[in-house]
Amino acid sequence: MALKFAKRMDNMKASEIRELLALTAKPEIISFAGGLPAPELFPVKEWKEAVNKVLDERGQQALQYGPTEGYEPLRKHIVQRMNKVGVKDAKPDDFLILSGSQQGLDFMAKAFIDPGDQIIVESPTYLGALNAFKAYEPSFLEVELDDNGMKMDQLEDRLKNNDRVKFIYVISDFQNPSGKTWTMDRREKLIELANKYDVAILEDNPYGELRFEGEIQPSLKSLDTEGRVVFMGTFSKVFSPGIRLGWFCAAPEILDKFNKIKQGADLQTSTISQMELAQWLDDNDLEAHIQKIIDVYGKRKNVMVDAMKEYFPEGVTFTNPEGGLFLWVELPDYMNARDLAVKAIDKKVAYVPGGAFFADNIRENCFRCNYSCMDEEKIVEGVKRLAEVIKAEMK
Amino acid sequence: MALKFAKRMDNMKASEIRELLALTAKPEIISFAGGLPAPELFPVKEWKEAVNKVLDERGQQALQYGPTEGYEPLRKHIVQRMNKVGVKDAKPDDFLILSGSQQGLDFMAKAFIDPGDQIIVESPTYLGALNAFKAYEPSFLEVELDDNGMKMDQLEDRLKNNDRVKFIYVISDFQNPSGKTWTMDRREKLIELANKYDVAILEDNPYGELRFEGEIQPSLKSLDTEGRVVFMGTFSKVFSPGIRLGWFCAAPEILDKFNKIKQGADLQTSTISQMELAQWLDDNDLEAHIQKIIDVYGKRKNVMVDAMKEYFPEGVTFTNPEGGLFLWVELPDYMNARDLAVKAIDKKVAYVPGGAFFADNIRENCFRCNYSCMDEEKIVEGVKRLAEVIKAEMK
C-alpha cells in the first residue's frame, strides 16, 4: 500500500508543546511548559448547578442539533465580552460560536489562504497558529516585536514589498509566548497600515481580560474602521478550556464565509455546552470570577519574576507581563534552549524552547515559561532549578 | 475594502438543508426535510446522573484541557461499537475522537486532497460530505447506486480511467439520502478494487447499528485487508447529536496524520463531553437504548412506507430501508422536485429536493424524506399532503 497524502501534510508537524507535555507529565517534574489554567479555580459547583438547570428545564433541546452560528443566548452574553475590550456596538449576529478559538485559526486560513499566499506574523508567535495555518500552505513574513508591539517600519516594509499578503496575525495582549502587550500607538498604526495596504487582521485575544495591573487596552477590533479585523475570543482562559467554546466577531461578509466553513468542518459547536455556559453566565458573575483568576495569576507571575531576578545569572533577561499566562526568557546568544531543555528535564524542571515559536528566522536562545497552573512554592523551586541549569552553561 | 478570499470559497455553498430547515421550522409545517433524531428518546435523566457523577468526582479534570486523541475510557467503549460492526481487533489507540463525524469528512479531504485530486462518491450521496470535501478543491467522480450498492463495473471504469483518485466515499448502511444498503458481495468487491487500484476508502457509518430487521452487515473496515479503510462513527444517531462526539478508526499511519490535523483544527474534542459520555456508557446499557430507538424508527418507517403505498400515485417509487433515518422518492422524469418543494411548503409539508445530493450529474426528479422525528399521525398526514401535491403534477 502506498497511499498518497496531500502536499500540505508535509508541512504539518505535531505540536512540540503537546509532545513535551507528555514527557513532563511526571509528578516530580515542575513544568513551566504547559499553558493550563489553574484547575482549582474552575467553578465546578456553580457549573454543576447550571448544568442541572439546563437538563431539568430543556434537556431534550440540549441534546439535539442546534444552529451553525451558535446558541443565541450565549451570543448575547458575548456582547458584554466585546464591550469590555472596547467594541461597543457588537450584536449577537456579529458572532460565530467556535469549538475553541483554535478552530478560528484554522477557519481564517481556510477562508483566505491559497497556496503561496502570505501571512504576516509576530516574531515570535503562537506555535499552534503556525501549525494551523501551515495546512493551507502559506508563506510567512515575520515582523520583530519590541516592547511596544510589532516594529512598524518592518511591518510596512513587508506590506510594501509583497503582493500576496492576505492577513496579519496578532496577539496584541499578553502575547503567547512573549507576554508582551501592544501600545495604543502601535495598535492605531497597525489599523492604518492594514487599511492602506488592504489586508485583513486576525486579532487573537484569549488573555486580554486577564490583566493584573493597569487598564484593559482597546482591542484592535474596537479601532477597526473598515470591518477588516476578525476578532477571536475564547472562554478557555477566563472560564474553562475543557468545554471548548470560543467565538469569532467579524464583518457580515467575512462571517458569512466562516459560517459556510463551519457547516463543512463540524456543523456546529456542542449545543449542550453552549446552553450550559449561557445558563452559568445568567446565574453567576463572570467579572468576579475573572478577578479571582487575576489575583491568583498576578501573584504567581510576581513570584516567578522575583525568583528569576534573584536566582538567574546576569545576562539572562525576561519579560514582566501585565497579564496573561506566559513570560519569555532570553539567554545569552551562545546558548541553545533546546539543548538546555534536556538538561532541565534531568533536573526535573521543564519549559518550551523558544525555537518552536518562530516561523522562519528561528532563534534558539530563548524559552517560554507558564506560571498559571502551579503554586508559588513550586514556582520558586522550579526557577531555582532552572537557574542552576543555566548557570552551568554560562561562559 | 476588497479583501480577497481563497479560491476554495467559490465552491462552498451553505447547506440547502440548513437553509430549508429554517424555512420549515414553523410548527404548522410537517417537515420530512430534517435529519433530527427523536428528542423524546434522549435519555435526559440518565445523562444527568452521569454528568453529576463526573462533576462530583472529577470536576476539575472535566473542565481542563485533555489529550488530542481523546479521553481513553471513551475510546475503550468504542472498541465495543467497532465489534458490533465486525471489527474484532480494534484497540483504543486505533481511534481519534472527533467533534462529531462531520469533522471526519473535513479531515479526510484535508489529509488526502490536493486541488484537482479526485474523490469517488455514490450518486446520490450525503450533501454535507460534498460541501466538506469542496473546501479542498477536488473533482468528483460519481458512481450510480442500484439496490445492492455502487455499480461495480462503473466503479472499476472510474478507477481504471483516472489517475488522481485518492479515496472512495461510501455510506454502506441505510445511506443518506437513499436509505440503501450494500450487499456483502459488493462490499467485498469494493475492497478488492480499492486494493487493486491502491486508493483509500472512507466508510461513513452513522446509522449501521439502527437496523430494524435482518442482521447488521460487516463494515467495510472489518473486510479491510490492507489498512486502507478509514471508518467514521458517531454517537449522534444512537445517543445525541448535541454533544458532538464521533470517531475515526484507521491504520496508525493514517491516524497519525489525522492527529496532526486535529491539533491544528481544534486541539481536542470537549473533555467534559467525552467524560460524561464515558460515564453514561459505564452506567447504562447502550444496546437496550439502541433497541428503543430501533423500535420507534422502525415503526415510523413502516408507517411512512405504508402511507406512500396507499396515497402516492402510480409512477412514483420509493425505497423501503431496513434501517436508518431516511427514504428516497423517485418521481416521473418530467417532474422537478425543487419546484415541487415550493408547492409542498404551500401545502405545509416539506422534504429535501434530491438535486442537492448529486455531485455533478444532478437529477431533479427525486427527494429525501426523514421519518425519525415525528409521530405516526403526522407522518400519515404529511404523506397525504405530499401525495396531493404530486398528483396535481401528474401527466
Side-chain angles (χ1 to χ4, degrees), chain B residues 337-376:
Chain B
R338 232 179 262 266
D339 299 339
L340 208 69
V342 181
K343 295 173 185 171
I345 289 175
D346 272 352
K347 297 277 181 195
K348 306 204 182 326
V349 60
Y351 57 74
V352 181
F357 299 95
F358 295 89
D360 281 319
N361 299 299
I362 299 173
R363 289 197 293 120
E364 294 290 5
N365 64 323
C366 42
F367 60 86
R368 188 192 77 175
C369 283
N370 165 261
Y371 47 74
S372 60
C373 75
M374 72 205 59
D375 63 40
E376 298 170 17

Side-chain angles (χ1 to χ4, degrees), chain A residues 183-371:
Chain A
T183 58
M184 190 63 187
D185 274 8
R186 293 286 174 92
R187 289 170 198 250
E188 285 169 343
K189 183 75 183 167
L190 173 66
I191 299 291
E192 189 191 311
L193 288 175
N195 287 347
K196 181 171 172 189
Y197 291 96
D198 197 21
V199 299
I201 294 171
L202 177 59
E203 175 177 26
D204 187 1
N205 198 327
Y207 319 111
E209 295 191 57
L210 297 180
R211 174 173 274 281
F212 313 142
E213 53 193 275
E215 293 295 308
I216 288 184
Q217 293 292 301
S219 59
L220 300 171
K221 185 73 198 156
S222 75
L223 306 172
D224 184 12
T225 51
E226 302 184 350
R228 61 176 72 249
V229 178
V230 172
F231 180 98
M232 226 165 57
T234 176
F235 288 97
S236 289
K237 303 306 188 292
V238 298
F239 187 80
S240 144
I243 59 171
R244 311 303 303 128
L245 289 177
W247 70 90
F248 265 141
C249 175
E253 180 201 354
I254 304 177
L255 208 59
D256 175 65
K257 307 291 182 198
F258 290 144
N259 263 291
K260 285 173 184 139
I261 289 175
K262 179 78 177 168
Q263 283 188 13
D266 66 358
L267 290 181
Q268 59 159 112
T269 293
S270 163
T271 318
I272 191 163
S273 297
Q274 293 182 72
M275 288 177 69
E276 289 167 348
L277 181 59
Q279 186 68 55
W280 190 92
L281 292 165
D282 281 347
D283 298 343
N284 294 274
D285 181 354
L286 180 57
E287 299 305 332
H289 180 66
I290 290 174
Q291 192 53 54
K292 268 191 223 171
I293 299 174
I294 287 173
D295 291 346
V296 172
Y297 292 6
K299 262 188 225 154
R300 288 176 182 176
K301 188 271 296 181
N302 285 338
V303 168
M304 183 172 272
V305 167
D306 289 347
M308 286 181 174
K309 280 180 185 159
E310 185 167 349
Y311 299 109
F312 277 7
E314 216 162 315
V316 178
T317 61
F318 38 89
T319 55
N320 186 357
E322 295 179 337
L325 278 73
F326 303 106
L327 65 74
W328 183 250
V329 180
E330 303 250 359
L331 301 166
D333 286 344
Y334 56 84
M335 280 195 201
N336 182 313
R338 231 179 264 267
D339 299 341
L340 207 70
V342 181
K343 293 173 187 168
I345 288 175
D346 272 352
K347 296 276 181 199
K348 307 207 183 324
V349 61
Y351 57 75
V352 182
F357 298 95
F358 295 88
D360 283 319
N361 299 301
I362 299 172
R363 289 196 293 120
E364 295 288 6
N365 65 324
C366 42
F367 59 86
R368 188 192 78 176
C369 283
N370 164 263
Y371 46 75

Side-chain angles (χ1 to χ4, degrees), chain A residues 87 305 359 377:
Chain A
V87 179
V305 167
E377 206 175 319

Side-chain angles (χ1 to χ4, degrees), chain B residues 139-180:
Chain B
S139 65
F140 293 109
L141 301 169
E142 296 182 298
V143 177
E144 287 171 23
L145 288 175
D146 61 25
D147 289 340
N148 300 320
M150 268 184 183
K151 292 179 180 170
M152 285 296 139
D153 50 343
Q154 266 191 26
L155 175 61
E156 181 144 24
D157 179 70
R158 302 282 182 274
L159 287 165
K160 196 182 291 175
N161 295 309
N162 293 282
D163 59 358
R164 294 190 63 181
V165 176
K166 288 295 190 74
F167 65 87
I168 306 168
Y169 171 63
V170 171
I171 308 170
S172 50
D173 294 79
F174 323 124
Q175 196 227 24
N176 178 0
S178 71
K180 289 178 181 176

